[in-house]
Amino acid sequence: RVPPLITPYFRYYEACARAECGDPAGALQALFAYLWEQIGRHDSATVWEWYDPAVQDFRKWALGDWPKSLCHGWGSGLVPLTQRYLLGVTPVAPGFRQVNVCPRVPVTWSYEARIPTPCGPIEVHKKRGAAAPTCVLPRGVERVPG
């Protein structure tokens, strides 16, 4: 019997699969809800190495007999999910030399985002009510159809 793996790392891949199977909004919402449970409920400033919402006692601070990291970069899967599915920016060549810009989650609210690339930031802006966001690409980055 193998216990389920409940980590931000694996939750990212689960969300990617869900998004690619046609539910990008659900994928973003599920990963956000998981991370909010960890960060919001436990007032954490970082993403933990492992987090199971069902564990509410002192075991939440350990991995069996081992202490766990409470600051893991691999738990930041919400960032690339947001970049790809909400903002719609997907690199199609190394170093973001070519990108496809096609948001897959429709939203009604406004937002602004900057995606760092080796050529400079890609800026994405959407105004409330606008059908699609606008995208400003730095020199050296080409927009290609997806």
Side-chain angles (χ1 to χ4, degrees):
R1 186 164 176 237
V2 177
L5 289 171
I6 304 174
T7 68
Y9 178 75
F10 282 105
R11 286 281 176 114
Y12 167 72
Y13 291 106
E14 177 184 49
C16 285
R18 183 173 179 175
E20 290 299 320
C21 287
D23 187 16
L28 283 164
Q29 181 59 38
L31 190 55
F32 173 82
Y34 171 75
L35 292 173
W36 171 252
E37 174 76 20
Q38 178 189 142
I39 295 170
R41 182 178 299 252
H42 296 287
D43 197 26
S44 174
T46 62
V47 176
W48 299 353
E49 177 179 7
W50 174 88
Y51 174 71
D52 181 350
V55 177
Q56 296 295 314
D57 57 21
F58 283 110
R59 293 176 299 149
K60 69 183 177 188
W61 305 105
L63 288 170
D65 295 337
W66 298 88
K68 69 178 172 189
S69 168
L70 300 180
C71 183
H72 253 66
W74 68 28
S76 62
L78 193 57
V79 173
L81 276 176
T82 300
Q83 173 189 305
R84 180 169 289 204
Y85 298 106
L86 182 65
L87 303 177
V89 178
T90 304
V92 294
F96 281 81
R97 295 290 182 186
Q98 293 181 323
V99 296
N100 171 265
V101 181
C102 182
R104 295 176 55 187
V105 176
V107 296
T108 58
W109 34 269
S110 62
Y111 59 81
E112 294 182 16
R114 295 180 73 165
I115 301 167
T117 77
C119 296
I122 295 173
E123 296 181 7
V124 183
H125 309 271
K126 183 177 181 302
K127 293 186 179 187
R128 178 182 299 270
T134 59
C135 186
V136 178
L137 303 176
R139 181 174 294 161
V141 176
E142 175 188 9
R143 185 174 183 167
V144 298

